[in-house]
Amino acid sequence: MNCKPGDLAIIVGSGLPADPDIGKIVTVVEAVPSEGEPCWGIECSVPLLVGYPSGEKRYARDATIADRHLRPIRGIGQDGLHDAQAGHRDRPRITLNH
């Protein structure tokens, strides 16, 4: 599986055509029982377009998604993100003259 509980992940696909949620960042909450493929319960700070088996679509901040549609974001952590942002501010500014 790509993800584990607690991961931040990016949505890279779904079963919905032209899904507006591709690229959104979600929190992986828990494994969800499913038939056929591993799925996760996820939460998002902005509403996601959720498709239901009935064909209905609604917006919600939590959803279930197949593991294959998520890519975890790992390796930088909050401290690393802060360090990277601080380092960016300390770099000299380059001006291009045309």
Side-chain angles (χ1 to χ4, degrees), residues 1 4-6 27-33 39-43 63-65:
M1 294 203 315
K4 62 183 181 184
T27 300
V28 177
V29 178
E30 63 185 352
V32 175
C39 290
W40 294 104
I42 59 170
E43 293 178 346
T64 299
I65 190 169

Side-chain angles (χ1 to χ4, degrees), residues 10-94:
I10 187 166
I11 297 175
V12 296
S14 79
L16 299 175
D19 189 341
D21 297 327
I22 292 176
K24 288 184 180 174
I25 306 296
V26 299
T27 300
V28 177
V29 178
E30 63 185 352
V32 175
S34 67
E35 295 180 22
E37 65 181 317
C39 290
W40 294 104
I42 59 170
E43 293 178 346
C44 190
S45 62
V46 296
L48 301 167
L49 183 60
V50 179
Y52 293 88
S54 66
E56 179 185 6
K57 294 178 188 159
R58 286 188 280 163
Y59 284 94
R61 291 185 189 265
D62 59 340
T64 299
I65 190 169
D67 183 71
R68 65 186 165 99
H69 294 311
L70 296 173
R71 290 297 173 269
I73 302 169
R74 295 188 188 130
I76 191 165
Q78 289 300 320
D79 291 337
L81 181 59
H82 176 73
D83 293 345
Q85 291 170 338
H88 176 71
R89 285 192 301 269
D90 295 338
R91 290 187 194 131
R93 183 173 300 271
I94 298 172

